[in-house]
Amino acid sequence: MLDLRDVMKKERFAVVGNTLAPEKYAYKIKEELLAAGYTVHGVGYELETLDQVPGELEVVDLCIRPERGLALLHACRKPIGCVVIQPGAGSDEIRELLTRRGIPFLDGCLLVGLRLYPREA
């Protein structure tokens, strides 16, 4: 079973949501991950699709309306390592899709993960 400690050991994150507006959680999460030394790409306003993320999709962090997140997941053709579903970004349809595709996921918050499991220098 996937847990937040495992997720924070990954290197590459795709944050899905409004990563350009400082008041949005997607922006805060992206900036804190970058400051901690992770490789991070924004999807939704910077990149339009998950397939546009360079390299592999180790972690997809959903910080977006569930219907939009579901559409992006459906459209994705690249393998996804795991998905973190931020509060308010989940739906039964998303969880069913991830389960059907065999993609590990958890309901959680990467801001919490950054504080509980800081990256080792």
Side-chain angles (χ1 to χ4, degrees):
M1 178 167 202
L2 184 68
D3 68 26
L4 202 49
R5 182 187 309 263
D6 295 330
V7 170
M8 300 317 297
K9 291 178 184 175
K10 307 288 186 189
E11 296 293 324
R12 303 177 54 77
F13 291 77
V15 178
V16 181
N18 188 343
T19 55
L20 299 177
E23 70 277 5
K24 299 291 186 176
Y25 276 102
Y27 175 91
K28 294 172 185 174
I29 291 166
K30 180 184 174 215
E31 293 303 311
E32 288 200 30
L33 286 168
L34 285 169
Y38 293 98
T39 299
V40 187
H41 298 279
V43 177
Y45 284 80
E46 294 172 74
L47 300 173
E48 291 180 20
T49 71
L50 288 165
D51 289 328
Q52 291 174 328
V53 173
E56 70 178 292
L57 291 168
E58 277 192 282
V59 180
V60 172
D61 183 44
L62 296 179
C63 302
I64 198 165
R65 293 183 332 270
E67 60 275 8
R68 182 72 178 122
L70 182 63
L72 285 166
L73 289 170
H74 267 299
C76 184
R77 297 296 165 240
K78 292 175 81 168
I80 297 173
C82 67
V83 174
V84 175
I85 303 169
Q86 296 285 144
S91 69
D92 290 340
E93 292 84 2
I94 288 173
R95 291 177 191 88
E96 289 167 11
L97 174 66
L98 296 172
T99 300
R100 192 168 55 252
R101 290 190 178 173
I103 300 170
F105 67 92
L106 64 85
D107 290 278
C109 179
L110 291 184
L111 293 176
V112 172
L114 283 163
R115 281 152 186 75
L116 289 179
Y117 311 110
R119 194 165 192 194
E120 296 178 17

